[in-house]
């Protein structure tokens, strides 16, 4: 069909028509809400670089999880900022570590909420790298053991799912093996499979106090120029036992999300990262664009590209819009 028989505008005439033919709809069911746990009591410290987001002590984090659950959000993703960092990131797997405490508190107060924990060392190491260092290099296989121990301690604290984000080779297999050995074969793994060395993590590193103290993450996170490699990384994670695969960041990598959707049939998550959130917040604060519309457009694009699950700092705000 061609113009004048076909007129695309006929179905765009009013909102009811547009609703009927809309191909992509966002749902609260798809959302994961990231939260930052800090030591202390009654702490709710605004994160400068991420307007609307806070570092929360465990009492407040449980409250925030409750609010999110009441809005219909099914899951939170926890990050922790320990009181002390050290060379080998021991705070990551401490029995009374900050994330372990936060998990316990949330599962106590909001047992219905699904709690996912980020498994990485960068928030816990004094050098800010995601793994164990030797001679200034991140050591892959030594790091695997620590990541597995971290995941195990988080699950023992009550985590429902673990999400390894360190981009070490073999990390999914290492976690799966350790969990299975501990009779935790029913705990799913959400793999940060295609995680890029991205400038869009900038605001998060202020939030999590996790910027590398020297160098960068390019020896473990992916080169933004590569997409075939993302497919290889995802294949490996699938073969190692990933239950959910992830592409991160989301907006600058919609092609990767799209390809992952075509090539794999596992649930696919996309992480709408801090920079993607904060740049829209900043532009909105300057009056340069409409935050709600830009949020809806960004998140719809991520879903349209093929993501099933969207990890976003806008989770509560979006839920409020969707529940209206
Ligand atoms: C930890 C981790 C990072 C993010 C999630 N997990 C930071 C990084 O790799 O430097 C970024 C999330 C965001 O920017 O919102 N490795």
């Amino acid at each position: 069909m061609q113009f004048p028989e076909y007129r695309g505008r006929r179905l765009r005439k009013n909102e009811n028509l547009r609703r009927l033919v809309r191909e992509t709809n966002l749902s609260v069911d798809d959302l994961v809400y990231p939260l930052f746990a800090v030591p202390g009591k009654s702490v709710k410290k605004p994160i400068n670089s991420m307007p609307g987001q806070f570092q929360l002590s465990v009492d407040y984090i449980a409250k925030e999880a409750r609010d999110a659950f009441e809005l219909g959000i099914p899951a939170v993703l926890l990050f922790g900022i320990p009181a002390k960092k050290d060379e080998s990131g021991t705070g990551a797997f401490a029995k009374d570590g900050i994330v372990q405490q936060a998990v316990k508190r949330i599962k106590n107060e909001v047992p219905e909420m699904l709690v996912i924990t980020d498994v990485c060392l960068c928030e816990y190491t004094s050098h800010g790298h995601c793994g164990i260092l030797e001679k200034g290099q991140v050591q892959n296989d030594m790091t695997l053991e620590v990541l597995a121990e971290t995941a195990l301690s988080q699950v023992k604290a009550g985590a429902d799912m673990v999400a390894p984000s360190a981009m070490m080779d073999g990390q999914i297999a290492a976690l799966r093996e350790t969990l299975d050995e501990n009779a935790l074969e029913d705990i799913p793994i959400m793999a940060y499979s295609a995680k890029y060395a991205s400038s869009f993590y900038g605001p998060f590193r202020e939030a999590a106090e996790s910027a590398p103290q020297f160098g960068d993450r390019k020896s473990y996170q992916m080169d933004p120029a590569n997409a075939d490699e993302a497919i290889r990384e995802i294949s490996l994670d699938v073969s190692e036992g990933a239950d959910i695969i992830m592409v991160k960041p989301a907006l600058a990598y919609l092609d990767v999300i799209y390809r992952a959707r075509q090539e794999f049939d596992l649930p696919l998550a996309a992480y709408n990262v801090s920079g993607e959130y904060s740049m829209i917040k900043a532009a909105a604060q300057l009056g340069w664009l409409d935050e709600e519309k830009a949020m809806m457009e960004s998140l719809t694009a991520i879903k349209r590209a093929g993501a099933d699950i969207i990890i976003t700092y806008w989770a509560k705000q979006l839920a409020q819009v969707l529940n209206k």
Side-chain angles (χ1 to χ4, degrees):
M1 250 205 314
Q2 270 186 345
F3 176 80
E5 290 78 29
Y6 182 81
R7 288 178 183 269
R9 291 184 58 194
R10 280 186 201 123
L11 296 179
R12 288 181 213 132
K13 217 165 19 188
N14 61 49
E15 181 56 13
N16 283 337
L17 278 167
R18 291 191 292 270
R19 278 174 64 201
L20 281 174
V21 301
R22 188 158 292 143
E23 299 171 33
T24 310
N25 284 291
L26 291 168
S27 159
V28 283
D29 294 342
D30 308 329
L31 303 179
V32 175
Y33 182 31
L35 293 172
F36 300 96
V38 289
K41 247 188 100 182
S42 309
V43 180
K44 183 173 180 181
K45 189 173 167 221
I47 299 164
N48 262 330
S49 56
M50 299 174 68
Q53 305 300 311
F54 300 84
Q55 293 182 337
L56 301 167
S57 51
V58 299
D59 46 345
Y60 277 19
I61 220 166
K63 198 177 159 298
E64 188 68 7
R66 152 87 46 215
D67 285 357
F69 192 77
E70 280 168 5
L71 284 165
I73 296 164
V76 291
L77 172 62
L78 298 186
F79 296 92
I81 299 107
K84 273 204 306 270
K85 301 180 191 254
D86 59 29
E87 187 68 15
S88 43
T90 56
F93 54 85
K95 199 157 175 251
D96 60 347
I98 184 64
V99 160
Q100 287 77 359
Q101 289 180 42
V103 172
K104 275 192 202 129
R105 192 70 178 242
I106 296 174
K107 291 310 290 187
N108 245 327
E109 295 185 21
V110 204
E112 316 90 314
M113 178 58 99
L114 188 87
V115 177
I116 311 171
T117 47
D118 184 81
V119 183
C120 193
L121 301 185
C122 60
E123 296 120 64
Y124 305 92
T125 51
S126 42
H127 45 74
H129 278 286
C130 301
I132 304 296
L133 285 188
E134 240 177 41
K135 301 192 191 98
Q137 301 287 325
V138 174
Q139 299 299 311
N140 194 85
D141 299 12
M142 281 164 71
T143 301
L144 293 181
E145 288 171 34
V146 186
L147 292 173
E149 196 174 341
T150 299
L152 180 60
S153 81
Q154 293 169 343
V155 173
K156 283 186 173 162
D160 300 297
M161 188 183 325
V162 288
S165 70
M167 284 300 279
M168 293 299 119
D169 293 327
Q171 62 183 9
I172 305 307
L175 264 60
R176 188 69 274 157
E177 197 188 334
T178 297
L179 292 173
D180 289 359
E181 278 167 11
N182 286 274
L184 297 166
E185 57 283 315
D186 61 337
I187 297 292
I189 299 176
M190 177 163 73
Y192 285 76
S193 306
K195 176 172 175 181
Y196 287 88
S198 173
S199 59
F200 292 107
Y201 307 150
F204 173 96
R205 290 179 187 170
E206 181 180 325
E209 300 169 14
S210 66
Q213 298 304 300
F214 67 91
D216 52 42
R217 303 208 200 290
K218 290 180 189 165
S219 81
Y220 38 105
Q221 298 180 347
M222 282 182 56
D223 183 338
N226 298 352
D228 292 339
E229 188 188 354
I231 301 304
R232 274 200 309 279
E233 284 284 349
I234 299 170
S235 301
L236 283 167
D237 283 2
V238 172
S239 69
E240 290 178 25
D243 299 282
I244 298 174
I245 54 178
M246 193 199 299
V247 173
K248 174 184 176 193
L251 290 174
Y253 300 87
L254 293 177
D255 57 323
V256 181
I257 295 175
Y258 182 77
R259 280 184 64 179
R261 175 71 301 151
Q262 306 305 306
E263 302 202 27
F264 301 95
D265 59 7
L266 286 182
L268 172 61
Y271 200 138
N272 176 226
V273 301
S274 57
E276 301 175 327
Y277 166 87
S278 294
M279 61 186 177
I280 289 176
K281 284 273 178 191
Q285 282 178 357
L286 288 165
W288 291 351
L289 50 69
D290 179 312
E291 182 187 346
E292 186 178 311
K293 293 197 177 99
M295 165 185 83
M296 294 304 283
E297 191 173 332
S298 300
L299 299 177
T300 301
I302 294 166
K303 185 143 187 207
R304 191 191 64 228
D308 303 302
I309 298 168
I310 304 175
I311 304 167
T312 179
Y313 303 100
W314 271 307
K316 275 176 65 185
Q317 242 173 294
L318 175 63
Q320 272 151 2
V321 174
L322 296 175
N323 295 341
K324 254 198 265 196

